[in-house]
Amino acid sequence: MPETPSNTASRVALIGFGTVGRAVARILCESGDPSLRLTHICNRNVEKKKQSWVPADVLWTDEVQSVLNSNVDIVIELIGGLNPAEQIVRDALQAGKSVVTANKQLIARHGPDLLQLAASRGCQLEFGASVAGGVPVLPALRTGLSGDRLHGIAGILNGTCNYILSRIESARIPFSEALEEAQARGYAEADASEDLDGGDARAKLAILALAGLHARVVPESVRARTIRTVDAVDFDYAAELGCTIRQISRADLKGDTLFADVGPCVVPTDSPFGRVHRNLNLVVTSGQYGGDMAFLGAGAGGDPTAVAVVSDVKFVAQRVGAGPSGGPSEIGSTKKDLGSKVATPTISSDFETPWYLRFFVRDRPGIVARLAQILASHHLNIDSLLQKPGFDKASLPFVITLEPCRDAQLHPALEEMSTLDFSIRPCLCLPILRQS
Ligand SMILES: NC(=O)c1ccc[n+]([C@@H]2O[C@H](COP(=O)([O-])OP(=O)(O)OC[C@H]3O[C@@H](n4cnc5c(N)ncnc54)[C@H](OP(=O)(O)O)[C@@H]3O)[C@@H](O)[C@H]2O)c1
């Protein structure tokens, strides 16, 4: 039997009763936590949403304004997107209510401003579920890792891409078939462009960079490479190198420059990234004192994401209960003066790494010599040449790996190679990440 909430319980309103909202409401209703009291559930067309398991004293409404005008302490925003979520969150903070959200678009674009608004109004903004769903990496950055000075964050942040790539790896099926399978199983949307082309992951990377590296990053300033060009044969060649392929989002802070990139990378099969299968997420942080830390788990799904949301609500409620000295949220409070704490670094994708170049050519003598000549003319060193037997000579895939060089050094060579008449597909160029 749940305990009766005391009068001092934090009053909690939920806006958005969809996949995550419903799971949050269920946890709140079943937890019996006397410090929290769910008072409102708000959704458009709310009559269709009503559930018999929600206690009778919870008010169902489709009027957001009435929620914001009420005496709730904490607003949970779970409608997603920017409009009207941004305005709702701003209005709630302006009214002195703390906000918990899972909205990555909102935080990636407006996180610094909203944190500043929260700090100025003496309330809190928490968004632990906005990156990696149920994996508590943002709370770890807020508390357990705040004593370190982080200089790098890398992760598998998009479960859709990881599902597709690990299915191509395990079944050697074409990309299109793996995508269809992901859609049929509910792991990919009908239009999965945001996932496949890196838009989703770079928004999450921007949030991680804000929370862990104190860097303000406009998501669009981070280069995003698609996974659509990865072929089943690339997993054969990657295996020859003891590697596999994953969509990796990475950010390395060096002085005033943040090196950042999202896209498919060749990673060792026995590395933490290589061992992540299906739709799981992994985040690895690199700190000056503590070294590398890894966080693995369910990056999406109603229940895991709801756990992250409710954990944030409890964190906020403890601080609300602690009174004024509880103060605003850690990220917010450490940035009461955000301008002085959050830097705006130059964003660059010019990483120095070894490279994997895969060609599809119409075979004829002299192709390798021509490619080697172009690479040499750009001072690029070949590390290995891989060509598996048995392919059709009219569409022959082979791979050249390069010793480490900067992206900017490689780019002109790729441009030159793209004009060669024997090439029947654009060269697939992937960074090889040996470290993780
Ligand atoms: N699902 C996940 O696994 C997951 C993981 C991590 C983070 N998130 C984030 O969590 C948030 C919620 O995701 P979700 O999967 O729960 O989405 P969802 O299932 O689409 O739920 C959104 C809910 O908000 C309602 N809504 C939309 N616009 C509204 C408006 N203008 N006024 C009132 N209600 C409105 C929708 O009502 P209708 O039913 O009428 O459309 C729906 O009930 C998003 O920010 C998402 O990015 C989700």
Side-chain angles (χ1 to χ4, degrees), residues 16-21 42-45 49 64 78-81 84 102-105 129 133 299-302 305:
F17 195 70
T19 307
V20 182
C42 177
N43 203 96
R44 62 188 173 198
N45 306 318
K49 296 279 179 178
V64 173
L78 289 173
I79 64 179
N103 191 328
K104 65 176 175 290
Q105 282 140 309
T305 308

Side-chain angles (χ1 to χ4, degrees), residues 8 13 48 65 83 94 117 152 175 178 208 233 240 257 293 326 331 337 342 344 389 423:
T8 57
K48 289 190 210 154
Q65 207 50 50
N83 185 19
Q94 197 65 47
L117 175 58
F175 170 82
L208 287 172
V233 75
E240 296 270 303
T257 302
M293 299 285 164
I331 292 172
D337 179 3
V342 177
T344 305
S423 184

Side-chain angles (χ1 to χ4, degrees), residues 11-88:
R11 291 170 295 271
V12 179
L14 175 58
I15 304 182
F17 195 70
T19 307
V20 182
R22 195 174 297 120
V24 165
R26 194 173 272 283
I27 296 177
L28 288 175
C29 294
E30 289 177 0
S31 75
D33 182 341
S35 69
L36 297 176
R37 183 170 159 225
L38 181 63
T39 58
H40 298 72
I41 296 177
C42 177
N43 203 96
R44 62 188 173 198
N45 306 318
V46 76
E47 283 305 319
K48 289 190 210 154
K49 296 279 179 178
K50 288 186 175 174
Q51 300 292 322
S52 57
W53 48 263
V54 172
D57 61 349
V58 175
L59 189 71
W60 293 83
T61 178
D62 49 16
E63 288 176 25
V64 173
Q65 207 50 50
S66 70
V67 175
L68 301 181
N69 290 341
S70 74
N71 63 351
V72 299
D73 303 298
I74 303 170
V75 171
I76 307 174
E77 182 279 307
L78 289 173
I79 64 179
L82 288 178
N83 185 19
E86 181 191 348
Q87 199 54 52
I88 291 171

Side-chain angles (χ1 to χ4, degrees), residues 82-395:
L82 288 178
N83 185 19
E86 181 191 348
Q87 199 54 52
I88 291 171
V89 169
R90 282 190 193 283
D91 289 348
L93 294 173
Q94 197 65 47
K97 301 179 190 314
S98 291
V99 172
V100 171
T101 178
N103 191 328
K104 65 176 175 290
Q105 282 140 309
L106 180 64
I107 300 302
R109 272 167 192 76
H110 302 293
D113 303 341
L114 292 171
L115 283 166
Q116 200 158 34
L117 175 58
S120 73
R121 303 299 297 157
C123 51
Q124 298 168 72
L125 170 65
E126 295 298 332
F127 43 86
S130 62
V131 175
V135 186
V137 60
L138 285 170
L141 293 174
R142 179 179 63 202
T143 53
L145 287 169
S146 62
D148 205 346
R149 179 184 291 200
L150 299 189
H151 53 78
I153 299 181
I156 291 177
L157 304 180
N158 184 277
T160 304
C161 287
N162 208 61
Y163 179 86
I164 290 171
L165 291 174
S166 59
R167 277 298 289 151
I168 301 174
E169 175 187 27
S170 62
R172 293 296 197 270
I173 52 179
F175 170 82
S176 55
E177 198 176 322
L179 173 59
E180 275 170 29
E181 190 184 295
Q183 285 165 331
R185 289 172 177 250
Y187 294 145
E189 292 175 23
D191 178 3
S193 305
E194 269 290 289
D195 296 315
L196 305 177
D197 302 335
D200 172 84
R202 73 179 171 188
K204 293 169 179 168
L205 188 66
I207 297 172
L208 287 172
L210 174 67
L213 305 176
H214 309 309
R216 184 191 292 256
V217 177
V218 176
E220 287 71 25
S221 67
V222 175
R223 181 179 65 181
R225 297 173 291 110
T226 185
I227 68 159
R228 295 177 201 259
T229 45
V230 177
D231 193 285
V233 75
D234 293 309
F235 286 90
D236 294 333
Y237 281 123
E240 296 270 303
L241 302 166
C243 291
T244 184
I245 300 168
R246 295 287 182 264
Q247 187 210 43
I248 307 291
S249 306
R250 53 200 170 122
D252 283 329
L253 191 57
K254 291 193 174 127
D256 293 336
T257 302
L258 186 80
F259 291 90
D261 175 63
V262 171
C265 294
V266 174
V267 297
T269 313
D270 61 0
S271 67
F273 290 131
R275 288 195 292 257
V276 179
H277 292 276
R278 302 182 71 81
N279 59 339
L280 291 178
N281 280 194
L282 172 71
V283 180
V284 178
T285 60
S286 303
Q288 183 178 341
Y289 303 102
D292 288 356
M293 299 285 164
F295 303 85
L296 172 73
D303 284 344
T305 308
V307 169
V309 171
V310 174
S311 300
D312 274 353
V313 172
K314 286 182 173 236
F315 178 78
V316 171
Q318 278 164 11
R319 294 169 76 102
V320 169
S325 60
S329 65
E330 188 67 19
I331 292 172
S333 63
T334 51
K335 283 152 204 74
K336 249 184 179 158
D337 179 3
L338 266 170
S340 66
K341 284 282 187 182
V342 177
T344 305
T346 303
I347 309 295
S348 168
S349 58
D350 196 17
F351 284 92
E352 183 169 0
T353 58
W355 296 90
Y356 167 102
L357 309 182
R358 186 260 290 141
F359 302 87
F360 264 95
V361 298
R362 202 174 296 107
D363 199 18
R364 69 170 198 227
I367 287 179
V368 172
R370 180 76 185 105
L371 292 172
Q373 186 189 36
I374 293 173
L375 291 168
S377 72
H378 291 274
H379 310 289
L380 299 167
N381 286 335
I382 293 177
D383 185 45
S384 68
L385 175 67
L386 309 173
Q387 183 177 343
K388 284 181 160 287
F391 286 101
D392 181 357
K393 299 281 182 202
S395 178

